[in-house]
Amino acid sequence: MSQETMSRRDALKFGVLGAGAAMLTASQAMAAAPMEKDVKFDEEYDVIVIGSGFAGLAAAAKAAERGLKVLILEKMGRVGGNSVINGGAFAVPMNPDQAAFGIKDSKELFINDALKAGLGINHVEMLETIFARALETFDFTVKCGAKYQTGKKPTWFGGHSVNRTIVTENMSGSAIIQPMAAFVEKLPGCKLLTRAKFDDFVMSNDGTSVLGVTARINYRFDKKLISDDMENTSGEKKVFRAKKGVILASGGFSMDKIYRKMQDPRIAYDQDATNHDGATAGALLKAFQIGALPIHIDWIQQGPWASPDERGFGVAPLLTQQGLFVHGVAVDVRNGKRFMNEMADRKTRADAEYVILREAPKAFPVAIGTYNTFEEQIYAAVEKGLQSGVMKKFDTLDALAANYKIPADALKETIKVYNETALAGKEDQFKKQTLKDLKAAPIDMKGPFYAIRLMPKPHHTMGGLKIDTKARVISGNTGKPIPGLFAAGEVTGGTHGASRLGSYAISDCLVFGMIAGETI
Amino acid sequence: MSQETMSRRDALKFGVLGAGAAMLTASQAMAAAPMEKDVKFDEEYDVIVIGSGFAGLAAAAKAAERGLKVLILEKMGRVGGNSVINGGAFAVPMNPDQAAFGIKDSKELFINDALKAGLGINHVEMLETIFARALETFDFTVKCGAKYQTGKKPTWFGGHSVNRTIVTENMSGSAIIQPMAAFVEKLPGCKLLTRAKFDDFVMSNDGTSVLGVTARINYRFDKKLISDDMENTSGEKKVFRAKKGVILASGGFSMDKIYRKMQDPRIAYDQDATNHDGATAGALLKAFQIGALPIHIDWIQQGPWASPDERGFGVAPLLTQQGLFVHGVAVDVRNGKRFMNEMADRKTRADAEYVILREAPKAFPVAIGTYNTFEEQIYAAVEKGLQSGVMKKFDTLDALAANYKIPADALKETIKVYNETALAGKEDQFKKQTLKDLKAAPIDMKGPFYAIRLMPKPHHTMGGLKIDTKARVISGNTGKPIPGLFAAGEVTGGTHGASRLGSYAISDCLVFGMIAGETI
């Protein structure tokens, strides 16, 4: 994030396409959705799936198992979208490992956890559907070859009332995506194209129903463009008929430089996200144009535990969440003072970081702790963080302060008060529970001191289009499903309300992907 | 709000159209936007304005003053939408009355006030534009005949750093709307049709530009329908060409029973709002379908000061905000306890009320105080509230408790503690500043006691479509303006971010309406 993109000037210009707009070329994307009479179909399938993440693969697998001829279009050069780089944590309420370890879960707990995080605006019937079908979906992925760490106590995630999360064997979504992609490709009548970009829907001549899509094969996504969706003209045009319908599983838009900034102007154009480069809004916006309803579109979950000093999700989240944030401090480099409860919810912390970055775009706050602040299970990550340079180690607070240009005396005073508060078992000004409960000095004044610079990174876009519990896309013109259009996963909105809980994403994507494949 | 519509069952069904959907008829609204080749124009104008509130009339006035032939389409039977029932408070930064009373306003204060309320996601360039042109717009309305209370100290509104609001003579938007409507209708070439419903845009044959609209004249809005936009087939179809373009000034959707509930499922289908019945999302959704970008669509400002015991805005907001909330208490009828800072921001209080109503749909919280809690200037409203029955008066707390089925002992204890806290100048658990500052017992235990039942009412929809500072609607396909489409007022999103400040609405609507009329 350069000074220019998050300067006062930038802050004043947000929301305008500004200089960028002049660069955008009028392309075929400009026209309204074509109708049947306007096109000649090159190929014909029963089902066309847009996207090859959790939702897309689950949809394709279920549809192909029913004997349908399925085409999956993936615009990137590799399969799996964000799912393949995701952490592989899958909330599976009522799973056998819960039973084995005496953990009592329930529909009410599962839903109320989500409602609490989602500020009460979640669409509850979607959560009910996920609850009802998560275990069956989990079993289906196992059948497809996904590997999990089972036979042990399920993992606890922030905001969950009980341990209900099962983690993949390699702690990555790839342990689900790779076997599922192989499973899908082996099914007769199922075809997966990478570098195949969805451009638009093909509508019936009366404009009411989705009959297929226009797309481009041999597409090369170009991350250097301001908007790949608007500017990229690569590839050769194809028109595909979808006799039973199209399933949109195109994901979220955390990397859409223009659209995410319109929703949250605090995000700089070139600000990194935890997502892969292809996470843009193009397909979602096309769905709005044929009547899909925008829901909760501005809720972008941003990771306050991320760092500007590495790309993507990186290792900083682990080092802060299971280390520096728990017992260490996060300080404003301009005055050496704490500015948030380092253990507050994601939004509260990201908002606090943005208050600083809006005033001083380069003044990334710094998380600080000592070795004892790290939890034992992440000791390997500590080494990794130091090696990659995202975390730095200093023998003294003076050296640390000098490196980040923090007023040294103020920093020492902050840490002194912090330690004293903890020792006394008192509540600090931010009501940090992990501090009050410690009843010991959390930061070892002998050092050495560890530090990571912080920057919020867009992580999940809660908003999207409205589907019903059968994964049918609802039309704003009729209040009923748009014939021939289905959707699942992060492209949909409503399920998570204002904020998604960790590990609910895989459940959402897989369950509704599966349902779309069954319904279509 | 019946028990049925906000029962647990309802809460579980929110977001689905459910039973309602079966009632909706497929109508002409179902088809995609027609193209030039599909229609025959009945009449031809330079400019077509959709809506006759502040934004629509300002746009029409400016366009017609330029010699353009203008048609205003208003779907309701009367002119003025919500504007004519609005409170007539107009934020005019840098106005002469500020200067006369030594009030120092600035661009920075005006913008930062909005950013603070808007949680930092406001589009600042829109606020800059409003700041730059508010005074000129104010003067323009005066020229049109609007009447204001000038020559006195401007009014202070919550969240404003300084007094900058000018109120109309009759404390209603009608003092602006009525003269402006008369002004507009007198201009040569300007025509205003009521009961004229916008149905869709007419697009160029390549689908890129707006050339006109389809509409129905002699339309009868039917508030008994679940969705007037989807179900009402009244009126006779007309096709109007707009040679220079269409200005969408169709307002917000606080009364759209389906779409508002999708964004905030806590709102019951039949829950009242402060808005007029015609405040629905139909025209906005049509704009999304031709490429307009949805922005901040789920932020619905709800008035925590409203009552289920009267229709619309009513008198309760005055009685609570300048009375019962300031020094009285709001209690949960189930336990007699306070549940919020009665002076917190609107969203915090509405959220607190919804926590109760989600658990117990009929358990409307009750605001309670004594005569001394009312500010002197609203003594007339006190009588009005008692007469209409929205406020009730009781000689004793026992009688009050019995009426609302509040546990009497718990209620007395709540008020006792509340009074004692205030007497001691201490901070209460909700950090209510007006209590701490009082240093006297706020509630007179001799009575009589006044009480109002509370229910949040949708008031303003912050979200809408994205326009630039020239009021041109931005396309999601090109990042550039959609040729021939302009918009202003509550149908647009971004300006107010997450929450609009009181009295910023008139400024927004009039300034961008005027700009649309100039730009087109």
Side-chain angles (χ1 to χ4, degrees):
Chain A
M1 186 160 55
S2 68
Q3 182 166 24
E4 190 171 65
T5 57
M6 212 164 159
S7 64
R8 171 77 185 150
R9 190 175 153 272
D10 181 65
L12 292 175
K13 295 286 178 196
F14 61 53
V16 204
L17 299 183
M23 299 168 54
L24 303 176
T25 58
S27 73
Q28 65 273 45
M30 200 170 168
M35 291 180 178
E36 189 178 12
K37 61 180 162 31
D38 305 321
V39 301
K40 196 185 145 294
F41 287 108
D42 295 302
E43 294 175 24
E44 190 172 290
Y45 297 85
D46 293 314
V47 174
I48 293 173
V49 178
I50 314 298
S52 66
F54 294 125
L57 292 182
K62 276 288 166 185
E65 276 200 332
R66 290 168 55 211
L68 299 175
K69 195 178 163 194
V70 178
L71 173 66
I72 307 171
L73 300 177
E74 167 55 58
K75 75 176 171 185
M76 305 303 280
R78 61 141 179 76
V79 169
N82 276 328
S83 304
V84 77
I85 57 168
N86 140 310
F90 184 173
V92 187
M94 316 308 279
N95 72 64
D97 286 340
Q98 286 183 313
F101 286 84
I103 297 162
K104 286 228 186 315
D105 207 348
S106 71
K107 184 165 94 171
E108 198 153 45
L109 288 176
F110 181 78
I111 290 173
N112 286 342
D113 287 348
L115 278 169
K116 197 170 169 196
L119 305 183
I121 61 170
N122 315 56
H123 292 199
V124 168
E125 78 282 6
M126 310 306 282
L127 294 164
E128 290 185 302
T129 304
I130 295 172
F131 176 84
R133 303 208 55 189
L135 182 56
E136 173 194 351
T137 306
F138 173 81
D139 290 340
F140 180 67
T141 64
V142 170
K143 178 186 132 184
C144 292
K147 302 276 185 225
Y148 298 94
Q149 302 179 34
T150 48
K152 56 192 254 189
K153 191 175 175 184
T155 301
W156 180 79
F157 263 68
H160 293 231
S161 296
V162 297
N163 295 40
R164 63 164 72 95
T165 298
I166 298 176
V167 180
T168 58
E169 204 173 62
N170 66 353
M171 298 182 73
S172 161
S174 62
I176 303 171
I177 289 293
Q178 280 160 3
M180 277 191 88
F183 178 88
V184 161
E185 291 202 274
K186 261 181 252 153
L187 288 170
C190 196
K191 187 167 155 186
L192 195 163
L193 290 180
T194 55
R195 300 198 196 287
K197 170 74 152 71
F198 160 84
D199 273 331
D200 211 337
F201 298 98
V202 177
M203 304 300 292
S204 59
N205 289 335
D206 65 359
T208 60
S209 310
V210 173
L211 302 184
V213 302
T214 61
R216 279 172 286 159
I217 59 168
N218 301 316
Y219 185 81
R220 294 269 162 177
F221 183 87
D222 185 350
K223 69 177 182 183
K224 293 189 302 295
L225 298 173
I226 289 182
S227 170
D228 179 83
D229 288 318
M230 293 180 199
E231 298 174 272
N232 191 331
T233 57
S234 69
E236 301 125 48
K237 190 174 171 185
K238 290 280 180 186
V239 189
F240 299 112
R241 185 193 290 274
K243 286 193 291 183
K244 287 192 167 278
V246 173
I247 300 173
L248 197 59
S250 52
F253 60 89
S254 284
M255 280 298 272
D256 196 297
K257 296 172 189 132
I258 292 175
Y259 197 52
R260 68 179 188 180
K261 189 174 183 63
M262 280 193 185
Q263 306 303 336
D264 189 343
R266 300 172 306 177
I267 307 170
Y269 278 117
D270 62 352
Q271 192 164 329
D272 195 15
T274 66
N275 284 213
H276 81 118
D277 294 318
T280 66
L284 173 65
L285 298 180
K286 284 296 180 186
F288 293 156
Q289 293 177 26
I290 61 166
L293 285 163
I295 305 291
H296 297 173
I297 205 71
D298 47 275
W299 285 102
I300 301 178
Q301 189 174 78
Q302 306 198 47
W305 26 247
S307 176
D309 298 319
E310 63 182 342
R311 280 217 57 192
F313 194 81
V315 69
L318 205 59
L319 294 170
T320 50
Q321 301 216 88
Q322 296 188 44
L324 303 182
F325 278 176
V326 189
H327 294 133
V329 294
V331 301
D332 184 335
V333 295
R334 300 171 302 173
N335 56 28
K337 290 184 179 165
R338 288 174 69 217
F339 61 95
M340 64 178 184
N341 172 358
E342 296 84 356
M343 296 297 283
D345 65 87
R346 289 177 178 178
K347 180 168 164 50
T348 301
R349 290 179 290 171
D351 285 350
E353 292 173 14
Y354 273 125
V355 167
I356 294 172
L357 292 172
R358 168 161 251 149
E359 289 168 9
K362 284 175 118 173
F364 300 109
V366 177
I368 300 168
T370 41
Y371 201 76
N372 57 303
T373 55
F374 296 111
E375 294 177 14
E376 201 175 321
Q377 64 266 36
I378 64 152
Y379 285 170
V382 172
E383 289 314 307
K384 201 171 152 192
L386 290 171
Q387 274 160 28
S388 78
V390 67
M391 183 159 71
K392 292 189 191 301
K393 189 165 123 180
F394 302 91
D395 286 335
T396 64
L397 278 176
D398 281 311
L400 187 153
N403 183 74
Y404 297 110
K405 300 188 172 49
I406 305 171
D409 289 346
L411 176 63
K412 288 178 198 165
E413 176 66 17
T414 293
I415 293 178
K416 180 170 165 268
V417 169
Y418 184 77
N419 273 346
E420 285 170 0
T421 307
L423 255 175
K426 281 194 192 150
E427 197 164 65
D428 70 312
Q429 73 268 43
F430 300 108
K431 300 185 191 299
K432 184 175 178 175
Q433 199 62 39
T434 50
L435 189 74
K436 193 182 169 198
D437 295 348
L438 193 64
K439 299 191 172 56
I443 296 183
D444 181 352
M445 294 308 287
K446 294 195 300 293
F449 301 92
Y450 295 79
I452 293 178
R453 299 203 301 168
L454 302 169
M455 176 183 80
K457 287 185 183 174
H459 183 55
H460 187 97
T461 48
M462 264 64 63
L465 47 80
K466 174 65 191 157
I467 56 169
D468 67 10
T469 55
K470 299 284 185 196
R472 299 177 296 197
V473 176
I474 301 300
S475 163
N477 292 327
T478 64
K480 294 179 180 173
I482 297 172
L485 187 58
F486 302 78
E490 198 177 343
V491 76
T492 69
T495 305
H496 306 294
S499 184
R500 176 181 62 75
L501 283 174
S503 84
Y504 272 52
I506 299 188
S507 325
D508 176 22
C509 295
L510 286 172
V511 165
F512 282 104
M514 204 171 79
I515 290 173
E518 292 167 354
T519 312
I520 200 166
Chain B
M1 187 160 56
S2 68
Q3 181 166 26
E4 190 171 65
T5 57
M6 212 163 158
S7 64
R8 170 79 184 149
R9 188 176 153 275
D10 181 66
L12 292 175
K13 296 285 180 198
F14 59 55
V16 206
L17 300 183
M23 299 167 54
L24 303 175
T25 58
S27 74
Q28 66 272 45
M30 199 168 169
M35 291 179 180
E36 189 177 11
K37 61 181 159 41
D38 305 322
V39 302
K40 197 186 145 292
F41 287 107
D42 295 303
E43 293 175 25
E44 190 172 291
Y45 296 85
D46 293 313
V47 174
I48 293 173
V49 178
I50 314 299
S52 66
F54 294 126
L57 291 182
K62 277 288 167 185
E65 277 199 332
R66 291 168 54 212
L68 299 175
K69 194 177 163 193
V70 178
L71 173 67
I72 307 171
L73 300 176
E74 168 54 58
K75 75 176 172 185
M76 305 304 282
R78 62 139 177 78
V79 169
N82 276 328
S83 304
V84 76
I85 57 168
N86 142 310
F90 184 174
V92 187
M94 317 306 281
N95 72 64
D97 286 340
Q98 286 182 312
F101 286 83
I103 297 162
K104 285 226 185 317
D105 207 347
S106 72
K107 185 165 92 171
E108 197 152 45
L109 288 177
F110 182 78
I111 291 173
N112 285 342
D113 287 349
L115 278 169
K116 197 172 169 194
L119 304 183
I121 61 171
N122 315 55
H123 293 200
V124 168
E125 78 281 6
M126 310 306 283
L127 294 165
E128 290 184 302
T129 304
I130 295 172
F131 176 83
R133 305 208 52 189
L135 183 56
E136 173 194 350
T137 306
F138 172 81
D139 290 339
F140 180 68
T141 64
V142 170
K143 178 185 131 184
C144 292
K147 300 275 185 227
Y148 298 94
Q149 301 179 34
T150 49
K152 56 191 254 190
K153 191 175 175 185
T155 300
W156 179 81
F157 263 70
H160 293 230
S161 296
V162 298
N163 296 38
R164 62 165 74 94
T165 299
I166 299 177
V167 180
T168 58
E169 205 174 63
N170 66 353
M171 297 182 73
S172 160
S174 62
I176 303 172
I177 288 294
Q178 280 159 3
M180 278 192 90
F183 177 87
V184 161
E185 291 201 275
K186 261 181 253 155
L187 287 171
C190 197
K191 186 167 155 186
L192 195 164
L193 289 181
T194 54
R195 300 196 198 287
K197 168 74 154 71
F198 160 83
D199 273 332
D200 211 336
F201 299 99
V202 176
M203 304 300 291
S204 59
N205 290 334
D206 65 359
T208 60
S209 309
V210 173
L211 302 184
V213 302
T214 62
R216 280 172 286 160
I217 58 168
N218 301 317
Y219 185 81
R220 294 270 163 178
F221 183 87
D222 185 351
K223 70 177 181 182
K224 291 189 304 297
L225 298 173
I226 289 181
S227 170
D228 180 82
D229 287 317
M230 293 181 199
E231 298 175 273
N232 190 330
T233 56
S234 70
E236 303 125 47
K237 191 174 169 182
K238 290 278 179 190
V239 189
F240 299 112
R241 185 192 290 275
K243 287 194 290 181
K244 289 195 167 275
V246 173
I247 300 173
L248 197 60
S250 51
F253 59 88
S254 284
M255 280 299 272
D256 195 297
K257 296 174 188 127
I258 292 175
Y259 198 53
R260 68 179 189 179
K261 187 174 184 62
M262 280 194 185
Q263 306 304 336
D264 189 343
R266 300 172 305 177
I267 307 171
Y269 279 115
D270 62 352
Q271 193 163 329
D272 195 14
T274 65
N275 284 212
H276 80 120
D277 294 318
T280 66
L284 173 64
L285 297 180
K286 284 295 181 186
F288 293 157
Q289 293 177 26
I290 61 165
L293 285 163
I295 305 291
H296 297 173
I297 204 72
D298 47 276
W299 286 104
I300 301 177
Q301 189 174 77
Q302 305 197 47
W305 24 247
S307 176
D309 298 319
E310 63 183 341
R311 280 216 59 192
F313 194 82
V315 69
L318 205 60
L319 295 169
T320 52
Q321 301 216 89
Q322 296 187 46
L324 303 182
F325 278 176
V326 189
H327 292 134
V329 295
V331 301
D332 183 336
V333 294
R334 299 171 303 172
N335 56 28
K337 290 184 179 163
R338 288 175 69 217
F339 60 95
M340 65 178 184
N341 172 356
E342 296 85 355
M343 296 298 281
D345 65 87
R346 287 176 179 178
K347 179 167 165 51
T348 300
R349 290 179 291 171
D351 285 350
E353 292 173 12
Y354 273 127
V355 167
I356 295 171
L357 293 172
R358 169 160 249 150
E359 289 167 10
K362 283 176 120 171
F364 300 108
V366 176
I368 300 168
T370 41
Y371 200 77
N372 56 305
T373 56
F374 297 110
E375 293 176 15
E376 201 175 322
Q377 65 265 37
I378 64 153
Y379 285 171
V382 172
E383 288 315 306
K384 202 171 153 193
L386 290 171
Q387 275 159 27
S388 78
V390 67
M391 183 159 70
K392 290 188 191 303
K393 189 164 122 179
F394 303 91
D395 286 335
T396 65
L397 279 176
D398 281 311
L400 186 153
N403 184 73
Y404 297 111
K405 301 187 172 49
I406 305 172
D409 289 346
L411 176 64
K412 288 178 197 165
E413 176 67 16
T414 293
I415 293 177
K416 180 170 164 269
V417 169
Y418 183 79
N419 273 345
E420 286 170 0
T421 307
L423 256 173
K426 282 194 192 150
E427 196 163 64
D428 69 314
Q429 73 269 45
F430 301 108
K431 300 185 190 300
K432 184 174 177 175
Q433 200 63 40
T434 49
L435 189 73
K436 195 183 168 196
D437 294 347
L438 193 65
K439 298 190 173 57
I443 297 183
D444 181 352
M445 294 308 286
K446 293 195 300 292
F449 302 92
Y450 295 79
I452 293 178
R453 299 204 302 167
L454 302 170
M455 177 183 79
K457 287 185 182 173
H459 183 55
H460 187 97
T461 49
M462 265 63 62
L465 49 79
K466 173 65 189 155
I467 56 169
D468 67 10
T469 55
K470 299 285 183 196
R472 298 176 296 196
V473 176
I474 300 300
S475 163
N477 292 327
T478 63
K480 294 180 180 172
I482 297 171
L485 186 60
F486 302 77
E490 198 178 344
V491 75
T492 70
T495 305
H496 306 293
S499 184
R500 177 180 62 75
L501 284 174
S503 84
Y504 272 50
I506 299 187
S507 325
D508 176 23
C509 296
L510 287 172
V511 165
F512 282 104
M514 203 172 79
I515 289 174
E518 291 167 355
T519 312
I520 199 166

